[in-house]
């Protein structure tokens, strides 16, 4: 029996060494046992708590089910809507977006007729703007209505033509082109401000708005483009002849358009204008019309050599 016990003990001893070696590590160099991953499955985090997409869905459901979170979301959306309404109201006060849509309501037929009217205004008879229920009709339905499409496109085209003219003379540079564009814009703004100040000093009751004055002042870019292009194609004499024609045309256009806006009803009907105030209005109309050829020559004479 002693031999059997000794034999059985001899058989159990390697098992204990093998078990101890498995616990100590394969090389025996690890001092402490790493228990960070013991008992964790691939889909389990803490006890009885899933990980992965299920955990994310559970957290989102708990967040949405929280009444405080819902209240905060509703309050934030209401603040955002109120801020947007406030921005739209203040923006419409300084930049009337709804009115700007009227000035860009044009089509190809209107643009063609308006360009012809700006270059050949002598044969046109009816200069009154049509109204529908006390509101002026859209420019695409009335060639006499002011618009901002032609002045805006004319300004951009003028800057491009000025760059072309400077390039043909080996004087082109981005800085010089920027100076040309900024000077034209500054002169336009100063002209509109001067007209507004004159209207205020003369105390003229008119339905002309700042956008109307900006549109009428921007029509001179059409004649400027015609003059510069003629000068580039046929030389400086062609520039002077074409610019002279366009200057006379814009003068006639402004006189016949603004007289219905600034003068009294008696002047619009062709009767004799009397009174100091009416004479001041007449002088103001002629001054605005006479300023257009001056600006046209001032902004284009250095582009053609």
């Amino acid at each position: 029996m002693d031999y059997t016990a000794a034999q059985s003990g001899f058989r159990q001893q390697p098992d204990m060494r093998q078990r101890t070696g498995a616990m100590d590590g394969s090389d025996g160099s690890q001092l402490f046992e790493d228990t960070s991953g013991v008992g964790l499955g691939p889909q389990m985090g803490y006890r009885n708590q899933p990980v992965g997409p299920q955990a994310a869905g559970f957290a989102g459901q708990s967040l949405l089910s929280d009444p405080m979170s819902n209240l905060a979301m509703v309050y934030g959306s209401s603040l955002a809507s109120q801020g947007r309404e406030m921005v739209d109201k203040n923006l419409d006060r300084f930049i009337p977006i709804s009115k700007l849509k009227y000035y860009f309501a044009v089509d190809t037929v209107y643009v063609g007729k308006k360009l012809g009217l700006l270059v050949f205004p002598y044969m046109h008879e009816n200069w009154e703007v049509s109204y529908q229920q006390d509101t002026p009709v859209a420019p695409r339905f009335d060639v006499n209505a002011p618009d901002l499409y032609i002045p805006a496109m004319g300004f951009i085209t003028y800057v491009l033509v000025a760059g072309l003219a400077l390039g043909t003379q080996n004087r082109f540079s981005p800085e010089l082109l920027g100076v040309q564009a900024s000077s034209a814009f500054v002169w336009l703004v100063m002209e509109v401000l001067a007209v507004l100040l004159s209207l205020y000093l003369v105390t003229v009751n008119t339905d002309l708005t700042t956008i109307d004055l900006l549109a009428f002042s921007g029509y001179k870019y059409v004649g400027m483009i015609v003059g510069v292009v003629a000068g580039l194609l046929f030389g400086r004499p062609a520039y002077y002849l074409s610019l002279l024609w366009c200057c006379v045309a814009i003068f006639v256009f402004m006189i016949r358009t603004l007289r219905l806006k600034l003068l009294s009803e008696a002047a619009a009907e062709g009767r004799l204008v009397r009174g100091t105030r009416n004479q001041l209005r007449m002088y103001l109309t002629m001054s605005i019309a006479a300023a257009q050829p001056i600006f046209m020559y001032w902004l284009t004479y250095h582009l053609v050599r």
Side-chain angles (χ1 to χ4, degrees), residues 19-40:
R19 189 176 303 169
T20 306
M23 295 174 61
D24 294 340
S26 59
D27 55 353
S29 61
Q30 185 174 356
L31 298 179
F32 299 98
E33 183 179 1
D34 186 9
T35 60
S36 61
V38 177
L40 295 178

Side-chain angles (χ1 to χ4, degrees), residues 79-137:
L79 284 180
S81 61
Q82 292 178 1
R84 185 170 59 253
E85 291 177 358
M86 185 178 299
V87 170
D88 294 338
K89 184 183 299 183
N90 293 329
L91 183 63
D92 189 72
R93 180 185 302 175
F94 297 101
I95 303 176
I97 304 298
S98 59
K99 293 183 179 179
L100 287 178
K101 294 179 181 179
Y102 165 81
Y103 290 94
F104 285 95
V106 300
D107 54 6
T108 307
V109 177
Y110 169 82
V111 172
K113 291 182 178 180
K114 195 72 171 187
L115 292 177
L117 184 61
L118 292 173
V119 180
F120 302 98
Y122 311 105
M123 304 301 295
H124 193 66
E125 296 181 357
N126 185 14
W127 293 86
E128 295 183 358
V129 178
S130 301
Y131 283 82
Q132 183 178 4
Q133 296 180 356
D134 296 335
T135 57
V137 299

Side-chain angles (χ1 to χ4, degrees), residues 171-180:
R171 296 190 297 139
F172 176 80
S173 65
E175 293 79 9
L176 188 58
L177 186 63
V179 170
Q180 188 72 25

Side-chain angles (χ1 to χ4, degrees), residues 48-291:
N48 296 330
Q49 182 176 356
V51 297
Q54 297 178 355
F58 180 77
Q61 292 177 358
S62 62
L63 180 62
L64 293 177
S65 61
D66 190 1
M68 295 300 296
S69 301
N70 296 332
L71 181 61
M73 293 176 61
V74 173
Y75 184 69
S77 62
S78 63
L79 284 180
S81 61
Q82 292 178 1
R84 185 170 59 253
E85 291 177 358
M86 185 178 299
V87 170
D88 294 338
K89 184 183 299 183
N90 293 329
L91 183 63
D92 189 72
R93 180 185 302 175
F94 297 101
I95 303 176
I97 304 298
S98 59
K99 293 183 179 179
L100 287 178
K101 294 179 181 179
Y102 165 81
Y103 290 94
F104 285 95
V106 300
D107 54 6
T108 307
V109 177
Y110 169 82
V111 172
K113 291 182 178 180
K114 195 72 171 187
L115 292 177
L117 184 61
L118 292 173
V119 180
F120 302 98
Y122 311 105
M123 304 301 295
H124 193 66
E125 296 181 357
N126 185 14
W127 293 86
E128 295 183 358
V129 178
S130 301
Y131 283 82
Q132 183 178 4
Q133 296 180 356
D134 296 335
T135 57
V137 299
R140 63 175 176 267
F141 301 117
D142 186 12
V143 71
N144 296 324
D147 71 285
L148 286 178
Y149 177 80
I150 293 178
M153 294 297 103
F155 179 82
I156 296 174
T157 307
Y158 161 73
V159 174
L160 297 178
V161 171
L164 178 62
L166 295 175
T168 56
Q169 303 170 11
N170 296 325
R171 296 190 297 139
F172 176 80
S173 65
E175 293 79 9
L176 188 58
L177 186 63
V179 170
Q180 188 72 25
S182 60
S183 61
F185 180 75
V186 169
W187 279 114
L188 179 64
V189 173
M190 292 179 61
E191 179 186 355
V192 173
L193 292 179
V195 174
L196 290 175
L197 180 60
S198 302
L199 292 176
Y200 175 76
L201 294 177
V202 180
T203 62
V204 177
N205 295 325
T206 177
D207 57 350
L208 276 177
T209 63
T210 305
I211 304 179
D212 292 334
L213 295 176
L214 188 63
F216 290 132
S217 300
Y219 286 140
K220 62 176 172 285
Y221 291 115
V222 176
M224 294 163 58
I225 295 169
V226 173
V228 174
V229 171
L232 292 177
L233 295 178
F234 305 105
R236 200 167 183 84
Y239 160 76
Y240 283 114
L241 291 177
S242 60
L243 186 66
L244 179 61
W245 177 275
C246 293
C247 287
V248 176
I250 196 66
F251 180 81
V252 174
F253 174 84
M254 296 294 288
I255 287 290
R256 294 185 177 180
T257 301
L258 294 180
R259 65 188 294 267
L260 300 176
K261 299 289 186 179
L262 301 181
L263 299 181
S264 61
E265 296 180 357
E269 295 175 358
R271 291 182 290 178
L272 182 62
V273 179
R274 296 178 180 178
T276 305
R277 181 172 297 180
N278 286 334
Q279 290 182 357
L280 290 176
R281 293 177 181 180
M282 182 186 301
Y283 294 151
L284 179 59
T285 303
M286 296 183 64
S287 300
I288 297 173

